[in-house]
Amino acid sequence: MTLTLEQIRTDVADSLGEAPADIPVDENLVDYGLDSVRVMALLERWRREHGVEAAFADLAEQPAIESWAPLLGVVS
């Protein structure tokens, strides 16, 4: 199963207890409460469910969904 931009957004929103519509794809997710523990949990889930091979450091460096998409193998 391929990871999509909307799936990333939904998973991030779920981890923050927010609605996906409230999570922008182009803003720093740290400003919305995303911390390193949640990033690790999301990354582990995506590795397990979608075969993602991204590194935690890469996601932590650019905590925005649109920045993550290419790192997570999402094709636009």
Side-chain angles (χ1 to χ4, degrees):
M1 180 172 165
T2 304
L3 191 60
T4 64
L5 196 63
E6 279 309 306
Q7 185 63 54
I8 296 169
R9 190 177 192 183
T10 299
D11 291 347
V12 168
D14 185 51
S15 86
L16 295 173
E18 300 286 342
D22 294 336
I23 305 298
V25 296
D26 60 345
E27 291 185 30
N28 187 327
L29 296 171
V30 173
D31 295 340
Y32 290 81
L34 192 70
D35 57 25
S36 60
V37 173
R38 288 186 173 112
V39 173
M40 276 303 298
L42 287 166
L43 184 54
E44 287 306 315
R45 176 179 178 179
W46 295 330
R47 284 177 175 160
R48 184 176 61 251
E49 295 177 6
H50 303 284
V52 165
E53 295 181 7
F56 168 77
D58 293 333
L59 299 185
E61 250 178 46
Q62 303 175 49
I65 293 170
E66 68 179 11
S67 298
W68 286 359
L71 299 171
L72 297 171
V74 175
V75 179
S76 48

